[in-house]
Amino acid sequence: MLKIWGRTNSSNVQKVLWAADEVGAKYERVDAGGAFGVVKEPKYLAMNPNGLVPTIEDGDLVLWESNTIVRYLAAKYGKGTLWIDDPARRGAAEKWMDWGFTLGGPNGPLFWGYVRTPPEQRDPKALEAHRVKAIELWTIVDRQLASQPWIAGKDFSIGDIGLGVFVHRWHQFPIERGNLPNLAGYYERLKARPAYARHVALPLT
Ligand SMILES: N[C@@H](CCC(=O)N[C@@H](CS)C(=O)NCC(=O)O)C(=O)O
């Protein structure tokens, strides 16, 4: 059976769990990373020399890098759902999934600042700079969603998985988020997906 290594409060692990549920792949999950440790043990490092989560095992195959795992799950288990045969359409979805790491640029520090740093230790100036940069990037998303429900068109895709994990976090931070109505509507559509509600739209820890 597919085995997914990783703590559930990691955005990169959440993408994998969300994708697995979207395609109906059965899996076993093992806590690793953060307070769970495990990732610096020789057995884990032999699978993933980065000592990071997520990692998956599927039969003899070991994979790391969350976006690569999402692509693999779509290709192996997602025929008729997440997998897109047409290279041009697939590229249009993959582009947004990979751009999720660009979004993570300012959204990661906002997450660490507001969720994992006590208020008295926060750097307000740095957080404000990340907020402004994030709004610039979310504006790109908002424009893309002006005429379509999902980031790559009329259908939900892996592009939405790459961005969706940040959409929830963004809406939890105690900040001014600007006027991005299409992004707000997108968040509502994401929350209506059971796998998103199960793995992503959770209290931030
Ligand atoms: N590019 C990698 C990044 C993996 C990564 O940075 N994982 C973080 C959690 S989001 C991690 O393992 N942090 C250390 C830990 O949890 O112990 C991916 O997308 O899988």
Side-chain angles (χ1 to χ4, degrees):
M1 189 199 273
L2 175 66
K3 191 188 256 194
I4 299 174
W5 294 81
R7 55 188 168 83
T8 55
N9 61 352
S10 143
S11 59
N12 289 313
V13 174
Q14 288 176 352
K15 285 189 276 182
V16 170
L17 297 171
W18 179 12
D21 276 10
E22 289 284 351
V23 299
K26 298 267 173 290
Y27 59 84
E28 171 198 352
R29 190 188 61 78
V30 185
D31 276 322
F36 296 100
V38 178
V39 293
K40 302 299 176 201
E41 291 173 9
K43 190 171 152 259
Y44 189 89
L45 288 170
M47 291 193 296
N48 182 344
N50 302 290
L52 296 172
V53 291
T55 299
I56 66 161
E57 291 178 87
D58 198 13
D60 291 337
L61 176 74
V62 174
L63 273 186
W64 39 267
E65 278 304 322
S66 57
N67 288 1
T68 300
I69 297 170
V70 170
R71 283 187 186 90
Y72 168 79
L73 294 176
K76 176 145 186 204
Y77 300 101
K79 299 267 182 325
T81 55
L82 273 188
W83 182 248
I84 304 172
D85 275 321
D86 176 57
R89 283 188 49 237
R90 191 169 70 245
E94 289 187 296
K95 168 185 77 181
W96 286 107
M97 177 169 71
D98 292 333
W99 188 75
F101 285 126
T102 299
L103 258 186
N107 281 279
L110 287 171
F111 176 80
W112 273 92
Y114 286 115
V115 179
R116 297 197 179 149
T117 305
E120 64 280 5
Q121 289 173 25
R122 290 176 191 157
D123 178 347
K125 218 170 142 197
L127 286 171
E128 176 58 12
H130 291 308
R131 185 189 75 86
V132 169
K133 180 64 189 172
I135 288 186
E136 196 183 293
L137 297 175
W138 286 121
T139 301
I140 295 173
V141 177
D142 190 74
R143 288 199 187 119
Q144 177 75 5
L145 292 167
S147 56
Q148 58 194 44
W150 302 107
I151 199 67
K154 64 179 180 30
D155 298 317
F156 176 82
S157 73
I158 58 176
D160 299 296
I161 292 181
L163 304 192
V165 286
F166 296 114
V167 174
H168 173 65
R169 292 178 169 203
W170 173 246
H171 285 89
Q172 310 310 303
F173 302 143
I175 56 173
E176 172 56 53
R177 273 176 281 280
N179 180 28
L180 300 172
N182 304 314
L183 179 63
Y186 183 51
Y187 183 37
E188 294 308 311
R189 284 190 290 285
L190 286 166
K191 282 190 288 185
R193 300 189 80 85
Y196 187 83
R198 199 157 40 242
H199 297 297
V200 184
L202 303 168
L204 302 185
T205 59

